[in-house]
Amino acid sequence: MRIVIQRVTEASVTINGKLKSEIQKGLLVLVGIEDRDTDEDIEWLAGKIVNIRIFDDENGVMNKSVMDVNGEILVVSQFTLQAQTKKGNRPSYIKASKADFAIPMYEKFCHKVSELLGQEVKTGEFGADMKVRLLNDGPVTIWIDSQNKE
């Protein structure tokens, strides 16, 4: 499972011209799922997301989590995070899971993040053509792969 975390002052998802979800201060989390992902990956990443200290404290030091600042989280599925670009110029998405595996994993992931955050996360819509708007704060953008726990 690969995620991109972006600290935002606002973010939203629109589908077919209609607003699906929006948040104010918090995190936009893009998630890409592959077949080898497990519940352990969900647990580990969800814990990272809610506890990662990337919000400024009173001294301007990134020392607070999204929970510490009462922030919101918007989770959007993005199969292109599983792109393989080693060969040629056209990315391969063969590692990205198909819907029958990815949708339940995405739903479990969102549920776990909600549980740890103590509030419902906002979401996109799996497989939809989404328009994602965000105002990246900092900018702060962090990429994490559960298969490479660094």
Side-chain angles (χ1 to χ4, degrees):
M1 192 173 279
R2 292 181 179 166
I3 63 170
V4 172
I5 300 170
Q6 294 179 296
R7 185 179 76 182
V8 299
T9 56
E10 62 185 64
S12 64
V13 175
T14 303
I15 303 169
N16 296 324
K18 294 181 182 173
L19 181 65
K20 164 75 166 101
S21 296
E22 66 181 334
I23 64 168
Q24 296 304 307
K25 181 178 185 174
L27 301 173
L28 170 63
V29 179
L30 306 173
V31 58
I33 298 165
E34 64 178 299
D35 288 346
R36 66 180 176 167
D37 291 329
T38 66
D39 289 348
E40 182 180 312
D41 295 302
I42 289 171
E43 293 278 336
W44 186 78
L45 284 171
K48 280 289 186 189
I49 290 165
V50 300
N51 291 300
I52 195 163
R53 298 183 320 182
I54 58 173
F55 290 88
D56 292 347
D57 64 15
E58 55 282 347
N59 298 314
V61 176
M62 284 194 275
N63 203 25
K64 291 189 173 192
S65 71
V66 68
M67 292 194 306
D68 295 331
V69 299
N70 298 316
E72 299 177 278
I73 297 178
L74 172 58
V75 179
V76 176
S77 62
Q78 188 172 344
F79 77 93
T80 59
L81 288 178
Q82 294 295 344
Q84 293 178 316
T85 59
K86 186 175 182 178
K87 184 177 177 186
N89 292 317
R90 184 173 183 266
S92 168
Y93 304 106
I94 194 134
K95 285 178 60 177
S97 293
K98 303 291 185 253
D100 61 333
F101 180 80
I103 290 173
M105 290 295 283
Y106 172 71
E107 290 172 352
K108 280 188 204 177
F109 178 75
C110 292
H111 178 75
K112 187 62 182 179
V113 174
S114 292
E115 179 184 299
L116 294 175
L117 184 62
Q119 65 175 290
E120 202 64 34
V121 300
K122 305 291 177 61
T123 64
E125 183 179 311
F126 190 93
D129 181 13
M130 297 175 274
K131 306 302 179 209
V132 180
R133 292 183 186 266
L134 69 139
L135 185 53
N136 195 320
D137 183 19
V140 175
T141 302
I142 297 174
W143 179 84
I144 304 174
D145 189 328
S146 66
Q147 303 300 323
N148 186 18
K149 294 179 174 80
E150 293 184 340

